[in-house]
Structure formats: C-alpha cells, structure tokens
Amino acid sequence: NGTYQKVGFVYRWDLLQITNVTLLFANEGYVFPRPPLQVSVTVPSANPPLSFELIVVHLKAGVLGEDRARRSDANLLLEPYVRSLVDGQGHPNVIVLGDFNEVLTTSEGRATMAPWLATSRYRAQTDTLANSGGISFLPSSVLLDHIVSTVALDDEVGAERALIPDLDAEYPNYQNTVSDHV
C-alpha cells in the first residue's frame, strides 16, 4: 500500500521457513518513515533447527541534527521492543539488520546506536567491519548498514564475521541499476 519506500526480506524458501510477518511501529511515521518488518525465521537444516526473530530496518536518512535525532528515537523505541521479545516473550534469538543510516566510527554515530552497543545484551556484528573501513553505502564510501544480534546467538554465530559482498564490482552499473547499498 502507498507510495512510500518499504523494507523487505529476500530469502531462499528452500533454506528458510518464514512465518509471522509483521510491520512494527506503523503508526510512528515520524520516527520510522519506513516501518520495520519483523519475521519469524526457522532454519530447518540446522541441527537442532534454529529459530530466530528477524527485524529489518531502514531508518531516517540524512545528515541534519533532526535526522540523527529521529534515528536515535527509532533505536530508543526499537531496542525495548527487542528486549521485550527476549525477556518477556521467550524469544532469545533476535537479529536486527538493515540500513540504520548511521556510522559506528564517530562519537555521534555511536551515541545514536548506543542501545545496540550494550555488549551484555547485543553484538553489533558490523562493528569490526566499520572499524576496518568497510563500505556498504557506495556514494559516501561509509558503512551505514548493520547487523545486531542478541547474545543468545553467540554460539550460532561463533567466530564468524559479517562480510560485505562486492556486488558493485560483480555486476556492471550496479549502483545505477540495483542499489546504492551493497
């Protein structure tokens, strides 16, 4: 519905089972110009099968103070929601990912992302990438897209590190025909 941008989740149906597709904060258009999308995911081939809640975000873009404030407000609304999934609803495995429109390598960016940088509850899987110069947003050569997981997924994630596929090098004219993010 509507003409606004929407978030989505692309997956291989033969590898994952998806249920409970829900838009979050749909009435919070100022804070979430694109409502987050939550899906329940099961990986049946894992032994034992692995289930987790996945939340996809695309937070407010822009470099103005108001833009950053809106992203900060979004994180301050979303993090307690995730905490309630873990503590109140018995879903310890949660991944929040997508375009946070924020860098992790500045004090301002870390302040905006602070709810997710509490290492006792969450792991910012893209923190190492950010600190090593990783790029996910091509026009500015910065990392704006992040993956945050709850600590309950530490055993499943293990020592694996997030990686950024080199799609812009693989596909001619990628940025102009597909996306400005990789």
Side-chain angles (χ1 to χ4, degrees):
N1 289 355
T3 59
Y4 63 94
Q5 290 180 344
K6 299 168 184 75
V7 297
F9 174 59
V10 178
Y11 68 97
R12 288 196 34 196
W13 62 269
D14 59 327
L15 297 178
L16 304 177
Q17 295 173 347
I18 306 299
T19 58
N20 304 324
V21 178
T22 308
L23 280 179
L24 304 175
F25 304 104
N27 295 324
E28 296 286 344
Y30 182 75
V31 175
F32 290 104
R34 294 157 290 264
L37 175 70
Q38 179 180 343
V39 297
S40 298
V41 178
T42 300
V43 183
S45 62
N47 190 10
L50 174 65
S51 293
F52 56 93
E53 297 299 308
L54 180 75
I55 300 173
V56 182
V57 300
H58 184 180
L59 301 185
K60 175 68 175 93
V63 296
L64 300 177
E66 180 184 348
D67 301 326
R68 177 163 278 127
R70 288 171 69 180
R71 290 191 295 273
S72 182
D73 289 347
N75 287 320
L76 290 170
L77 275 175
L78 188 56
E79 188 279 331
Y81 175 81
V82 170
R83 194 172 346 114
S84 76
L85 287 175
V86 174
D87 296 342
Q89 297 181 34
H91 297 289
N93 300 332
V94 181
I95 299 172
V96 181
L97 56 75
D99 185 355
F100 283 82
N101 267 310
E102 196 61 71
V103 296
L104 291 176
T105 55
T106 66
S107 58
E108 295 88 359
R110 291 193 82 74
T112 301
M113 295 289 290
W116 306 114
L117 300 176
T119 57
S120 64
R121 296 189 74 86
Y122 307 106
R123 301 283 184 253
Q125 300 294 342
T126 45
D127 205 9
T128 300
L129 275 173
N131 288 315
S132 65
I135 297 169
S136 68
F137 182 62
L138 299 170
S140 300
S141 297
V142 294
L143 185 69
L144 299 179
D145 304 276
H146 300 288
I147 302 168
V148 176
S149 61
T150 54
V151 295
L153 286 165
D154 283 357
D155 287 343
E156 285 76 17
V157 174
E160 297 297 320
R161 295 287 176 233
L163 61 91
I164 301 170
D166 202 9
L167 297 173
D168 57 318
E170 262 184 75
Y171 299 99
N173 208 20
Y174 176 86
Q175 184 174 338
N176 294 322
T177 58
V178 179
S179 177
D180 53 2
H181 291 255
V182 290

